[in-house]
Amino acid sequence: MFRSRYSVFNSLIVGDAPLVIARGGVSGLFPDSSYEAYTMAMETSLPNVMCWCDVQLTKDGVGICFPDLKLDNASDINVHYKNNKSEYLVNRVLIQGWFFVDYNFNDLAPVTLRQGVYIRTEKFDGTKYRILTVQDVANQVKAPGLWLNIQHDNFFTQHNLSMRSYIISLSRNVLINYISSPEVTFLTNIVTRFNPRVTKLVFRFLGHDDVEPSINQTYGSLLNNLTFIKTFASGILVPKSYIWPVDNSHYLQPYTSLVLDAHREGLEIFASQFANDVHFPYNFSYDPTSEYLSFIDNGVFSVDGVLSDFPVTASATIVIDDDCFAHLNKNDKPREKFLIITSEGASGDYPGCTDMAYTKAVSDGADVLDCPVQMTKDGIPFCLGSINLVDKTTILQSPFSNITNTDPVLNIITGIFTFNLNWDEIKSLKPAISSPWSGFGLYRNPKAINDGNFVSLVDFLIYAKSATTLSGVMIRIEKADYLANQGFGVIAAVVEALRNTGYNNQTSKKVMIQSKDSSILKEFKKRSYELVYMIDRNIRDIESATISEIKSFASSVILTKNSVFRSEDEFLVGKTDVVKKLQSSNVSVYVQRFNNEFVSQAWDFLSDSSVEINNYIVGAGIDGVITDFPRTAATYRRNRCLGYKHRSLYFSPVETGGLLQFMSRQSLPPAEPPSPILTESDVVEPPLPPVAKITPASNADASPTAQSSVVAGVLTCCLTILLADLS
């Protein structure tokens, strides 16, 4: 059960689960306060979800649900009334725009809603999304709970419109559960007109330094007078940073005492500004579920509700009586059976393929650690996600920056290759964290941008063998033909490392060999490893003969996400039969690559990484995920709601093509050329060339065998310390 919102001093008692408040419905996807946004919130949220309505008044006194005092940002008012822009003082600030107070309700009949946040899709902007009155939301949408927010009573009063009279009149016909406002005078004027058992009044805090317009005090100063607020409100609504402050580097600071202070005064406390598509504090690794849990499941306090643009995520996190994600323990058994395979370790939190990324991945609950193998100049195999050191290290800021060259075979213009440096030289470099979505301003854990040490393949295997929670390792081998022409036998180096670390004589850890080259996998056919063929292109189908050919050299495949659920313009448009066909031939299917950053996901997944994972596990039945964020997948796999026979909608797969029905014809995603069908000729390759004979390095100690033995001995000590820290 959830910790109560009715705390007395420092003791916590059992109470109700926090409320989910849908700000304008699912406003993270559909236009705010549209019929579709509200109905989707009701379909995908808790049964008692509160539908939030920002109330505005028209010139003739009609109450409207709309997110702003002005119409221009979230509607097409400028199309219909091009020259009607006005200028008014709003809380002492002169603002220009199209204001509700200039229009009668009938004047707004042709105006349609549109998405007001530029990073969100505009595909739902169109003629069908009309402005709704408050009565529409209550009577047509039939919201289970109604929360009215009165943001600008003072402004409407200046224009001879009485929000007080409107709200009191409305309450005679409409059940209002909550009324919030950032204006003290408005709440004090209505407090005696509402029964707190039916309608609760909530004082809304704005920024610390913002000035409350009716009593001319900053909200920061009012925060120190909760006893006064208790005289006219039963609760407070605060920005989430009031509870968990964030520093200028976008990391969490220690939580404040505000929740406990409010509960001590007998006030409920609600947190606002939750959205899945914002720049999260780095502590949450772009996982919105993790953020919600910090407000409701931190062992000290729980807020009484959250105001969210994506109520599906809040609902799945909270879930009355089920505790889907709340109060999970790392030792809780998985509710779904699938492998969690890392992509360069926990590369969403630390530079990939470093000791810190691997240690974090094990701690986070990964099943299989991966190592993309590269070769050094002195023949040492080690783990790194690219053959080009420019991609994953700080080599351009090192003394080796002057040895860049171009390689047309690898299609690399600026390259310093791993085999250009020996192992000691590579270890002198610093790793660099990858931020694949930096073009959207989404960076990964800047404090750890260069943390960790590079790991040789031997080091990696020793560590993985000692990590009792791991079920196996996956070794990725690419460009073996290219390396052979350079004089490096990467396959022989991998075989030797596995033999020297005892993986040929044990059964506790599974060994997976992954490659997109069938010729590489065929070199391992006689060994008892799981051979994994990576199909790195999007395909729409696969021929039976192709599956038969794949089975001749592999028992598993890796597919792209688009090869399972087809998408166009980031909207799901269909589902392929590729997974079904492969699994019916006893070929396991893993899918890559799962990221937490919302821009990596189709709009259908509501910017929620757990919703996306759920769709591939429950909706497609895949055998495993390859992810930069193993903690998110492990948390999803343990959530209790997956164990129930009848699952809520937020744990059901999304309907492919389901969002297209809400678009106008002109807004539909443009048809893209169909992905190809994978044929037998696509997977058949010639044998690998022999390793070219090239004069070895002059240092006698630089042979692969000698170096591996030395490194293995040193790392045994280091790994013992690492494992002790992990324990």
Side-chain angles (χ1 to χ4, degrees), residues 527-658:
R527 303 181 184 275
S528 57
Y529 304 146
E530 180 180 342
L531 305 183
V532 185
Y533 182 55
M534 183 172 69
I535 304 171
D536 61 348
R537 72 191 85 171
N538 296 332
I539 61 173
R540 74 175 188 272
D541 204 353
I542 186 168
E543 296 178 346
S544 298
T546 310
I547 297 176
S548 297
E549 176 61 25
I550 290 173
K551 290 187 67 176
S552 70
F553 60 81
S555 58
S556 307
V557 301
I558 295 174
L559 297 176
T560 64
K561 292 191 290 188
N562 218 329
S563 296
V564 181
F565 292 104
R566 294 188 298 109
S567 66
E568 293 178 358
D569 207 12
E570 305 308 322
F571 286 93
L572 298 187
V573 297
K575 179 183 175 183
T576 74
D577 290 327
V578 177
V579 173
K580 181 179 178 181
K581 288 182 177 181
L582 287 165
Q583 290 179 335
S584 64
S585 297
N586 295 319
V587 177
S588 299
V589 178
Y590 311 120
V591 172
Q592 71 170 14
R593 190 171 59 155
F594 289 86
N595 293 167
N596 282 359
E597 292 93 341
F598 64 92
V599 292
S600 70
Q601 302 147 14
W603 293 106
D604 306 68
F605 301 135
L606 300 174
S607 302
D608 186 332
S609 46
S610 294
V611 173
E612 182 183 40
I613 293 172
N614 185 69
N615 220 58
Y616 283 85
I617 299 301
V618 177
I622 65 173
D623 299 289
V625 298
I626 299 174
T627 176
D628 296 8
F629 296 90
R631 181 181 179 182
T632 297
T635 302
Y636 161 79
R637 188 172 60 177
R638 294 196 311 272
N639 92 77
R640 298 181 186 89
C641 288
L642 290 176
Y644 300 133
K645 184 176 181 180
H646 301 290
R647 296 178 182 175
S648 303
L649 275 177
Y650 31 80
F651 283 111
S652 300
V654 302
E655 178 187 357
T656 56

Side-chain angles (χ1 to χ4, degrees), residues 457-503:
L457 178 58
V458 167
D459 303 341
F460 168 82
L461 292 171
I462 293 173
Y463 174 63
K465 194 174 183 180
S466 303
T468 57
T469 59
L470 286 179
S471 61
V473 296
M474 183 162 71
I475 300 172
R476 190 170 88 211
I477 307 174
E478 308 294 352
K479 303 179 178 65
D481 52 348
Y482 176 89
L483 289 169
N485 292 329
Q486 304 295 321
F488 297 99
V490 61
I491 292 176
V494 169
V495 170
E496 179 192 23
L498 287 167
R499 181 177 64 248
N500 289 346
T501 52
Y503 276 77

Side-chain angles (χ1 to χ4, degrees), residues 27-32 73-76 112-129 277 568-571 603 659 662-670:
S27 54
L29 183 67
F30 293 108
D32 193 306
N73 191 48
S75 81
D76 62 352
T112 62
L113 301 174
R114 66 185 182 188
Q115 180 56 256
V117 181
Y118 78 95
I119 62 172
R120 294 170 178 170
T121 180
E122 77 288 349
K123 292 292 185 180
F124 301 108
D125 298 353
T127 57
K128 64 168 69 173
Y129 299 102
D277 55 357
E568 293 178 358
D569 207 12
E570 305 308 322
F571 286 93
W603 293 106
L659 291 181
F662 299 108
M663 301 178 191
S664 61
R665 183 181 297 273
Q666 61 268 27
S667 296
L668 290 171

Side-chain angles (χ1 to χ4, degrees), residues 290-306:
S290 179
E291 182 182 37
Y292 283 114
L293 289 174
S294 72
F295 284 84
I296 67 172
D297 185 25
N298 56 50
V300 180
F301 61 79
S302 171
V303 297
D304 299 287
V306 291

